[in-house]
PDB file of all heavy atoms in Angstrom:
ATOM      1  N   VAL A   1     122.460  44.796  84.817  1.00  0.00           N
ATOM      2  CA  VAL A   1     122.852  44.384  86.168  1.00  0.00           C
ATOM      3  C   VAL A   1     121.775  43.512  86.806  1.00  0.00           C
ATOM      4  O   VAL A   1     122.075  42.519  87.472  1.00  0.00           O
ATOM      5  CB  VAL A   1     123.133  45.614  87.053  1.00  0.00           C
ATOM      6  CG1 VAL A   1     123.385  45.193  88.500  1.00  0.00           C
ATOM      7  CG2 VAL A   1     124.343  46.367  86.515  1.00  0.00           C
ATOM      8  N   MET A   2     120.511  43.850  86.589  1.00  0.00           N
ATOM      9  CA  MET A   2     119.431  43.111  87.233  1.00  0.00           C
ATOM     10  C   MET A   2     119.062  41.824  86.506  1.00  0.00           C
ATOM     11  O   MET A   2     118.702  40.830  87.129  1.00  0.00           O
ATOM     12  CB  MET A   2     118.193  44.006  87.364  1.00  0.00           C
ATOM     13  CG  MET A   2     118.384  45.149  88.347  1.00  0.00           C
ATOM     14  SD  MET A   2     116.842  46.031  88.673  1.00  0.00           S
ATOM     15  CE  MET A   2     116.512  46.691  87.043  1.00  0.00           C
ATOM     16  N   ASN A   3     119.145  41.830  85.178  1.00  0.00           N
ATOM     17  CA  ASN A   3     118.699  40.663  84.398  1.00  0.00           C
ATOM     18  C   ASN A   3     119.835  39.883  83.761  1.00  0.00           C
ATOM     19  O   ASN A   3     119.618  38.795  83.233  1.00  0.00           O
ATOM     20  CB  ASN A   3     117.720  41.095  83.307  1.00  0.00           C
ATOM     21  CG  ASN A   3     116.418  41.614  83.876  1.00  0.00           C
ATOM     22  OD1 ASN A   3     116.076  41.323  85.021  1.00  0.00           O
ATOM     23  ND2 ASN A   3     115.701  42.400  83.122  1.00  0.00           N
ATOM     24  N   GLY A   4     121.038  40.436  83.752  1.00  0.00           N
ATOM     25  CA  GLY A   4     122.171  39.760  83.143  1.00  0.00           C
ATOM     26  C   GLY A   4     122.339  40.127  81.682  1.00  0.00           C
ATOM     27  O   GLY A   4     121.393  40.540  81.002  1.00  0.00           O
ATOM     28  N   LEU A   5     123.566  40.006  81.197  1.00  0.00           N
ATOM     29  CA  LEU A   5     123.886  40.237  79.791  1.00  0.00           C
ATOM     30  C   LEU A   5     124.439  38.947  79.212  1.00  0.00           C
ATOM     31  O   LEU A   5     125.363  38.357  79.773  1.00  0.00           O
ATOM     32  CB  LEU A   5     124.919  41.350  79.641  1.00  0.00           C
ATOM     33  CG  LEU A   5     125.386  41.651  78.218  1.00  0.00           C
ATOM     34  CD1 LEU A   5     124.247  42.256  77.409  1.00  0.00           C
ATOM     35  CD2 LEU A   5     126.592  42.586  78.224  1.00  0.00           C
ATOM     36  N   THR A   6     123.867  38.488  78.106  1.00  0.00           N
ATOM     37  CA  THR A   6     124.369  37.298  77.423  1.00  0.00           C
ATOM     38  C   THR A   6     125.109  37.743  76.167  1.00  0.00           C
ATOM     39  O   THR A   6     124.560  38.445  75.330  1.00  0.00           O
ATOM     40  CB  THR A   6     123.231  36.344  77.022  1.00  0.00           C
ATOM     41  OG1 THR A   6     122.485  35.988  78.189  1.00  0.00           O
ATOM     42  CG2 THR A   6     123.798  35.067  76.394  1.00  0.00           C
ATOM     43  N   VAL A   7     126.369  37.348  76.081  1.00  0.00           N
ATOM     44  CA  VAL A   7     127.183  37.628  74.907  1.00  0.00           C
ATOM     45  C   VAL A   7     127.254  36.351  74.081  1.00  0.00           C
ATOM     46  O   VAL A   7     127.747  35.326  74.547  1.00  0.00           O
ATOM     47  CB  VAL A   7     128.600  38.083  75.297  1.00  0.00           C
ATOM     48  CG1 VAL A   7     129.458  38.277  74.056  1.00  0.00           C
ATOM     49  CG2 VAL A   7     128.537  39.370  76.105  1.00  0.00           C
ATOM     50  N   TRP A   8     126.751  36.407  72.851  1.00  0.00           N
ATOM     51  CA  TRP A   8     126.761  35.249  71.954  1.00  0.00           C
ATOM     52  C   TRP A   8     127.937  35.368  70.991  1.00  0.00           C
ATOM     53  O   TRP A   8     128.138  36.419  70.372  1.00  0.00           O
ATOM     54  CB  TRP A   8     125.450  35.172  71.171  1.00  0.00           C
ATOM     55  CG  TRP A   8     124.258  34.878  72.034  1.00  0.00           C
ATOM     56  CD1 TRP A   8     123.353  35.780  72.514  1.00  0.00           C
ATOM     57  CD2 TRP A   8     123.856  33.600  72.514  1.00  0.00           C
ATOM     58  NE1 TRP A   8     122.402  35.135  73.277  1.00  0.00           N
ATOM     59  CE2 TRP A   8     122.677  33.789  73.288  1.00  0.00           C
ATOM     60  CE3 TRP A   8     124.351  32.294  72.362  1.00  0.00           C
ATOM     61  CZ2 TRP A   8     122.009  32.746  73.913  1.00  0.00           C
ATOM     62  CZ3 TRP A   8     123.687  31.253  72.978  1.00  0.00           C
ATOM     63  CH2 TRP A   8     122.530  31.473  73.744  1.00  0.00           C
ATOM     64  N   LEU A   9     128.701  34.284  70.872  1.00  0.00           N
ATOM     65  CA  LEU A   9     129.881  34.255  70.019  1.00  0.00           C
ATOM     66  C   LEU A   9     129.812  33.052  69.088  1.00  0.00           C
ATOM     67  O   LEU A   9     129.483  31.944  69.511  1.00  0.00           O
ATOM     68  CB  LEU A   9     131.159  34.152  70.855  1.00  0.00           C
ATOM     69  CG  LEU A   9     131.436  35.288  71.844  1.00  0.00           C
ATOM     70  CD1 LEU A   9     132.546  34.889  72.797  1.00  0.00           C
ATOM     71  CD2 LEU A   9     131.810  36.564  71.093  1.00  0.00           C
ATOM     72  N   LYS A  10     130.144  33.285  67.817  1.00  0.00           N
ATOM     73  CA  LYS A  10     130.148  32.184  66.851  1.00  0.00           C
ATOM     74  C   LYS A  10     131.105  32.518  65.712  1.00  0.00           C
ATOM     75  O   LYS A  10     131.055  33.605  65.143  1.00  0.00           O
ATOM     76  CB  LYS A  10     128.760  31.922  66.287  1.00  0.00           C
ATOM     77  CG  LYS A  10     128.674  30.688  65.392  1.00  0.00           C
ATOM     78  CD  LYS A  10     127.273  30.485  64.853  1.00  0.00           C
ATOM     79  CE  LYS A  10     127.153  29.206  64.048  1.00  0.00           C
ATOM     80  NZ  LYS A  10     128.103  29.130  62.920  1.00  0.00           N
ATOM     81  N   ALA A  11     131.981  31.570  65.387  1.00  0.00           N
ATOM     82  CA  ALA A  11     132.875  31.744  64.245  1.00  0.00           C
ATOM     83  C   ALA A  11     132.110  31.466  62.959  1.00  0.00           C
ATOM     84  O   ALA A  11     131.068  30.808  62.958  1.00  0.00           O
ATOM     85  CB  ALA A  11     134.083  30.817  64.362  1.00  0.00           C
ATOM     86  N   LYS A  12     132.638  31.964  61.854  1.00  0.00           N
ATOM     87  CA  LYS A  12     131.987  31.776  60.565  1.00  0.00           C
ATOM     88  C   LYS A  12     131.912  30.296  60.216  1.00  0.00           C
ATOM     89  O   LYS A  12     132.845  29.532  60.452  1.00  0.00           O
ATOM     90  CB  LYS A  12     132.762  32.526  59.478  1.00  0.00           C
ATOM     91  CG  LYS A  12     132.133  32.483  58.109  1.00  0.00           C
ATOM     92  CD  LYS A  12     132.953  33.279  57.108  1.00  0.00           C
ATOM     93  CE  LYS A  12     132.340  33.254  55.720  1.00  0.00           C
ATOM     94  NZ  LYS A  12     133.153  34.016  54.740  1.00  0.00           N
ATOM     95  N   GLY A  13     130.775  29.871  59.637  1.00  0.00           N
ATOM     96  CA  GLY A  13     130.611  28.473  59.237  1.00  0.00           C
ATOM     97  C   GLY A  13     129.434  27.828  59.942  1.00  0.00           C
ATOM     98  O   GLY A  13     129.237  28.020  61.150  1.00  0.00           O
ATOM     99  N   LEU A  14     128.655  27.048  59.202  1.00  0.00           N
ATOM    100  CA  LEU A  14     127.459  26.434  59.762  1.00  0.00           C
ATOM    101  C   LEU A  14     127.779  25.452  60.881  1.00  0.00           C
ATOM    102  O   LEU A  14     126.997  25.263  61.803  1.00  0.00           O
ATOM    103  CB  LEU A  14     126.669  25.712  58.655  1.00  0.00           C
ATOM    104  CG  LEU A  14     126.060  26.607  57.572  1.00  0.00           C
ATOM    105  CD1 LEU A  14     125.403  25.756  56.499  1.00  0.00           C
ATOM    106  CD2 LEU A  14     125.040  27.566  58.177  1.00  0.00           C
ATOM    107  N   LYS A  15     128.925  24.789  60.801  1.00  0.00           N
ATOM    108  CA  LYS A  15     129.275  23.769  61.788  1.00  0.00           C
ATOM    109  C   LYS A  15     130.087  24.327  62.949  1.00  0.00           C
ATOM    110  O   LYS A  15     130.455  23.575  63.854  1.00  0.00           O
ATOM    111  CB  LYS A  15     130.050  22.640  61.104  1.00  0.00           C
ATOM    112  CG  LYS A  15     129.225  21.863  60.084  1.00  0.00           C
ATOM    113  CD  LYS A  15     130.014  20.698  59.511  1.00  0.00           C
ATOM    114  CE  LYS A  15     129.178  19.902  58.519  1.00  0.00           C
ATOM    115  NZ  LYS A  15     129.932  18.749  57.952  1.00  0.00           N
ATOM    116  N   SER A  16     130.366  25.593  62.944  1.00  0.00           N
ATOM    117  CA  SER A  16     131.129  26.191  64.034  1.00  0.00           C
ATOM    118  C   SER A  16     130.287  26.243  65.301  1.00  0.00           C
ATOM    119  O   SER A  16     129.080  26.498  65.247  1.00  0.00           O
ATOM    120  CB  SER A  16     131.575  27.606  63.663  1.00  0.00           C
ATOM    121  OG  SER A  16     132.409  27.597  62.530  1.00  0.00           O
ATOM    122  N   PRO A  17     130.906  25.995  66.456  1.00  0.00           N
ATOM    123  CA  PRO A  17     130.144  26.029  67.705  1.00  0.00           C
ATOM    124  C   PRO A  17     129.672  27.435  68.044  1.00  0.00           C
ATOM    125  O   PRO A  17     130.306  28.427  67.674  1.00  0.00           O
ATOM    126  CB  PRO A  17     131.160  25.522  68.742  1.00  0.00           C
ATOM    127  CG  PRO A  17     132.490  25.832  68.145  1.00  0.00           C
ATOM    128  CD  PRO A  17     132.323  25.675  66.669  1.00  0.00           C
ATOM    129  N   LYS A  18     128.557  27.514  68.723  1.00  0.00           N
ATOM    130  CA  LYS A  18     128.008  28.789  69.166  1.00  0.00           C
ATOM    131  C   LYS A  18     127.957  28.774  70.693  1.00  0.00           C
ATOM    132  O   LYS A  18     127.507  27.809  71.292  1.00  0.00           O
ATOM    133  CB  LYS A  18     126.600  28.997  68.594  1.00  0.00           C
ATOM    134  CG  LYS A  18     125.935  30.294  69.038  1.00  0.00           C
ATOM    135  CD  LYS A  18     124.542  30.417  68.429  1.00  0.00           C
ATOM    136  CE  LYS A  18     123.854  31.696  68.855  1.00  0.00           C
ATOM    137  NZ  LYS A  18     122.496  31.818  68.278  1.00  0.00           N
ATOM    138  N   TYR A  19     128.427  29.848  71.294  1.00  0.00           N
ATOM    139  CA  TYR A  19     128.459  29.930  72.744  1.00  0.00           C
ATOM    140  C   TYR A  19     127.786  31.208  73.230  1.00  0.00           C
ATOM    141  O   TYR A  19     127.840  32.246  72.570  1.00  0.00           O
ATOM    142  CB  TYR A  19     129.904  29.919  73.254  1.00  0.00           C
ATOM    143  CG  TYR A  19     130.646  28.643  72.977  1.00  0.00           C
ATOM    144  CD1 TYR A  19     131.532  28.556  71.906  1.00  0.00           C
ATOM    145  CD2 TYR A  19     130.466  27.525  73.780  1.00  0.00           C
ATOM    146  CE1 TYR A  19     132.223  27.387  71.642  1.00  0.00           C
ATOM    147  CE2 TYR A  19     131.151  26.345  73.523  1.00  0.00           C
ATOM    148  CZ  TYR A  19     132.029  26.282  72.464  1.00  0.00           C
ATOM    149  OH  TYR A  19     132.708  25.116  72.195  1.00  0.00           O
ATOM    150  N   GLY A  20     127.180  31.106  74.402  1.00  0.00           N
ATOM    151  CA  GLY A  20     126.623  32.266  75.069  1.00  0.00           C
ATOM    152  C   GLY A  20     127.140  32.322  76.496  1.00  0.00           C
ATOM    153  O   GLY A  20     127.196  31.297  77.171  1.00  0.00           O
ATOM    154  N   ILE A  21     127.536  33.489  76.931  1.00  0.00           N
ATOM    155  CA  ILE A  21     128.020  33.671  78.303  1.00  0.00           C
ATOM    156  C   ILE A  21     127.131  34.702  78.967  1.00  0.00           C
ATOM    157  O   ILE A  21     127.034  35.846  78.499  1.00  0.00           O
ATOM    158  CB  ILE A  21     129.494  34.145  78.327  1.00  0.00           C
ATOM    159  CG1 ILE A  21     130.388  33.144  77.596  1.00  0.00           C
ATOM    160  CG2 ILE A  21     129.959  34.318  79.763  1.00  0.00           C
ATOM    161  CD1 ILE A  21     130.546  33.408  76.124  1.00  0.00           C
ATOM    162  N   LYS A  22     126.460  34.295  80.046  1.00  0.00           N
ATOM    163  CA  LYS A  22     125.531  35.197  80.729  1.00  0.00           C
ATOM    164  C   LYS A  22     126.077  35.591  82.096  1.00  0.00           C
ATOM    165  O   LYS A  22     126.413  34.748  82.924  1.00  0.00           O
ATOM    166  CB  LYS A  22     124.163  34.546  80.906  1.00  0.00           C
ATOM    167  CG  LYS A  22     123.147  35.474  81.584  1.00  0.00           C
ATOM    168  CD  LYS A  22     121.781  34.835  81.711  1.00  0.00           C
ATOM    169  CE  LYS A  22     120.793  35.796  82.358  1.00  0.00           C
ATOM    170  NZ  LYS A  22     119.440  35.204  82.476  1.00  0.00           N
ATOM    171  N   TYR A  23     126.136  36.898  82.299  1.00  0.00           N
ATOM    172  CA  TYR A  23     126.566  37.448  83.576  1.00  0.00           C
ATOM    173  C   TYR A  23     126.075  38.893  83.670  1.00  0.00           C
ATOM    174  O   TYR A  23     126.114  39.601  82.669  1.00  0.00           O
ATOM    175  CB  TYR A  23     128.095  37.408  83.694  1.00  0.00           C
ATOM    176  CG  TYR A  23     128.602  37.949  85.012  1.00  0.00           C
ATOM    177  CD1 TYR A  23     128.563  37.156  86.160  1.00  0.00           C
ATOM    178  CD2 TYR A  23     129.091  39.255  85.109  1.00  0.00           C
ATOM    179  CE1 TYR A  23     129.016  37.649  87.373  1.00  0.00           C
ATOM    180  CE2 TYR A  23     129.541  39.754  86.323  1.00  0.00           C
ATOM    181  CZ  TYR A  23     129.498  38.947  87.448  1.00  0.00           C
ATOM    182  OH  TYR A  23     129.933  39.440  88.650  1.00  0.00           O
ATOM    183  N   PRO A  24     125.613  39.331  84.836  1.00  0.00           N
ATOM    184  CA  PRO A  24     125.428  38.550  86.044  1.00  0.00           C
ATOM    185  C   PRO A  24     124.265  37.568  85.904  1.00  0.00           C
ATOM    186  O   PRO A  24     123.373  37.754  85.068  1.00  0.00           O
ATOM    187  CB  PRO A  24     125.104  39.604  87.107  1.00  0.00           C
ATOM    188  CG  PRO A  24     125.433  40.927  86.506  1.00  0.00           C
ATOM    189  CD  PRO A  24     125.282  40.757  85.038  1.00  0.00           C
ATOM    190  N   ILE A  25     124.276  36.527  86.754  1.00  0.00           N
ATOM    191  CA  ILE A  25     123.119  35.659  86.873  1.00  0.00           C
ATOM    192  C   ILE A  25     122.103  36.397  87.731  1.00  0.00           C
ATOM    193  O   ILE A  25     122.466  37.035  88.720  1.00  0.00           O
ATOM    194  CB  ILE A  25     123.503  34.309  87.511  1.00  0.00           C
ATOM    195  CG1 ILE A  25     124.539  33.599  86.634  1.00  0.00           C
ATOM    196  CG2 ILE A  25     122.269  33.431  87.700  1.00  0.00           C
ATOM    197  CD1 ILE A  25     125.102  32.339  87.247  1.00  0.00           C
ATOM    198  N   LYS A  26     120.847  36.317  87.364  1.00  0.00           N
ATOM    199  CA  LYS A  26     119.825  37.107  88.059  1.00  0.00           C
ATOM    200  C   LYS A  26     119.886  36.871  89.564  1.00  0.00           C
ATOM    201  O   LYS A  26     119.830  35.736  90.018  1.00  0.00           O
ATOM    202  CB  LYS A  26     118.431  36.756  87.534  1.00  0.00           C
ATOM    203  CG  LYS A  26     117.369  37.765  87.940  1.00  0.00           C
ATOM    204  CD  LYS A  26     116.081  37.554  87.184  1.00  0.00           C
ATOM    205  CE  LYS A  26     115.062  38.619  87.531  1.00  0.00           C
ATOM    206  NZ  LYS A  26     113.806  38.460  86.772  1.00  0.00           N
ATOM    207  N   PRO A  27     120.034  37.934  90.341  1.00  0.00           N
ATOM    208  CA  PRO A  27     120.211  37.783  91.785  1.00  0.00           C
ATOM    209  C   PRO A  27     118.946  37.322  92.486  1.00  0.00           C
ATOM    210  O   PRO A  27     117.842  37.451  91.969  1.00  0.00           O
ATOM    211  CB  PRO A  27     120.605  39.192  92.241  1.00  0.00           C
ATOM    212  CG  PRO A  27     119.975  40.083  91.229  1.00  0.00           C
ATOM    213  CD  PRO A  27     120.044  39.338  89.924  1.00  0.00           C
ATOM    214  N   GLU A  28     119.159  36.797  93.685  1.00  0.00           N
ATOM    215  CA  GLU A  28     118.020  36.330  94.472  1.00  0.00           C
ATOM    216  C   GLU A  28     117.231  37.491  95.049  1.00  0.00           C
ATOM    217  O   GLU A  28     116.025  37.397  95.255  1.00  0.00           O
ATOM    218  CB  GLU A  28     118.516  35.423  95.600  1.00  0.00           C
ATOM    219  CG  GLU A  28     119.151  34.133  95.114  1.00  0.00           C
ATOM    220  CD  GLU A  28     119.642  33.275  96.257  1.00  0.00           C
ATOM    221  OE1 GLU A  28     119.468  33.696  97.415  1.00  0.00           O
ATOM    222  OE2 GLU A  28     120.194  32.197  95.995  1.00  0.00           O
ATOM    223  N   ALA A  29     117.902  38.583  95.346  1.00  0.00           N
ATOM    224  CA  ALA A  29     117.204  39.738  95.911  1.00  0.00           C
ATOM    225  C   ALA A  29     116.153  40.240  94.929  1.00  0.00           C
ATOM    226  O   ALA A  29     116.328  40.174  93.720  1.00  0.00           O
ATOM    227  CB  ALA A  29     118.200  40.853  96.214  1.00  0.00           C
ATOM    228  N   ASP A  30     115.059  40.719  95.447  1.00  0.00           N
ATOM    229  CA  ASP A  30     113.954  41.166  94.619  1.00  0.00           C
ATOM    230  C   ASP A  30     114.165  42.611  94.181  1.00  0.00           C
ATOM    231  O   ASP A  30     113.954  43.539  94.946  1.00  0.00           O
ATOM    232  CB  ASP A  30     112.649  41.045  95.399  1.00  0.00           C
ATOM    233  CG  ASP A  30     111.434  41.337  94.538  1.00  0.00           C
ATOM    234  OD1 ASP A  30     111.620  41.616  93.336  1.00  0.00           O
ATOM    235  OD2 ASP A  30     110.317  41.274  95.072  1.00  0.00           O
ATOM    236  N   PHE A  31     114.605  42.793  92.935  1.00  0.00           N
ATOM    237  CA  PHE A  31     114.807  44.129  92.404  1.00  0.00           C
ATOM    238  C   PHE A  31     113.683  44.514  91.456  1.00  0.00           C
ATOM    239  O   PHE A  31     113.852  45.359  90.595  1.00  0.00           O
ATOM    240  CB  PHE A  31     116.139  44.212  91.666  1.00  0.00           C
ATOM    241  CG  PHE A  31     117.323  44.136  92.572  1.00  0.00           C
ATOM    242  CD1 PHE A  31     118.106  43.003  92.607  1.00  0.00           C
ATOM    243  CD2 PHE A  31     117.640  45.192  93.395  1.00  0.00           C
ATOM    244  CE1 PHE A  31     119.192  42.932  93.443  1.00  0.00           C
ATOM    245  CE2 PHE A  31     118.743  45.132  94.237  1.00  0.00           C
ATOM    246  CZ  PHE A  31     119.513  43.994  94.262  1.00  0.00           C
ATOM    247  N   ARG A  32     112.563  43.876  91.564  1.00  0.00           N
ATOM    248  CA  ARG A  32     111.453  44.198  90.672  1.00  0.00           C
ATOM    249  C   ARG A  32     110.953  45.619  90.935  1.00  0.00           C
ATOM    250  O   ARG A  32     111.116  46.173  92.011  1.00  0.00           O
ATOM    251  CB  ARG A  32     110.309  43.208  90.872  1.00  0.00           C
ATOM    252  CG  ARG A  32     110.629  41.789  90.428  1.00  0.00           C
ATOM    253  CD  ARG A  32     109.523  40.826  90.808  1.00  0.00           C
ATOM    254  NE  ARG A  32     109.354  40.799  92.266  1.00  0.00           N
ATOM    255  CZ  ARG A  32     108.388  40.109  92.877  1.00  0.00           C
ATOM    256  NH1 ARG A  32     107.507  39.445  92.158  1.00  0.00           N
ATOM    257  NH2 ARG A  32     108.310  40.116  94.185  1.00  0.00           N
ATOM    258  N   ASN A  33     110.313  46.153  89.920  1.00  0.00           N
ATOM    259  CA  ASN A  33     109.724  47.481  90.040  1.00  0.00           C
ATOM    260  C   ASN A  33     110.743  48.529  90.447  1.00  0.00           C
ATOM    261  O   ASN A  33     110.522  49.340  91.338  1.00  0.00           O
ATOM    262  CB  ASN A  33     108.567  47.473  91.049  1.00  0.00           C
ATOM    263  CG  ASN A  33     107.487  46.479  90.667  1.00  0.00           C
ATOM    264  OD1 ASN A  33     107.124  46.374  89.505  1.00  0.00           O
ATOM    265  ND2 ASN A  33     107.005  45.734  91.644  1.00  0.00           N
ATOM    266  N   LEU A  34     111.904  48.469  89.764  1.00  0.00           N
ATOM    267  CA  LEU A  34     112.969  49.407  90.087  1.00  0.00           C
ATOM    268  C   LEU A  34     112.497  50.847  89.982  1.00  0.00           C
ATOM    269  O   LEU A  34     112.797  51.675  90.837  1.00  0.00           O
ATOM    270  CB  LEU A  34     114.154  49.189  89.143  1.00  0.00           C
ATOM    271  CG  LEU A  34     115.331  50.149  89.310  1.00  0.00           C
ATOM    272  CD1 LEU A  34     115.945  49.992  90.693  1.00  0.00           C
ATOM    273  CD2 LEU A  34     116.372  49.912  88.238  1.00  0.00           C
TER     274      LEU A  34
END
């Protein structure tokens, strides 16, 4: 929740595209030192 999760997806094959989806994007509020 604080740093985001990136899910990487890629189909089989060297030339297949690779995608990453990151959510949540790190919020502006300071959640350091939880």
Side-chain angles (χ1 to χ4, degrees):
V1 174
M2 292 189 296
N3 293 340
L5 177 68
T6 303
V7 176
W8 293 99
L9 299 167
K10 186 180 184 303
K12 184 179 180 181
L14 294 176
K15 295 184 179 180
S16 299
K18 178 180 180 181
Y19 295 100
I21 302 90
K22 182 178 181 179
Y23 181 79
I25 299 173
K26 195 168 184 178
E28 295 179 1
D30 187 1
F31 290 107
R32 293 173 299 175
N33 302 318
L34 177 63

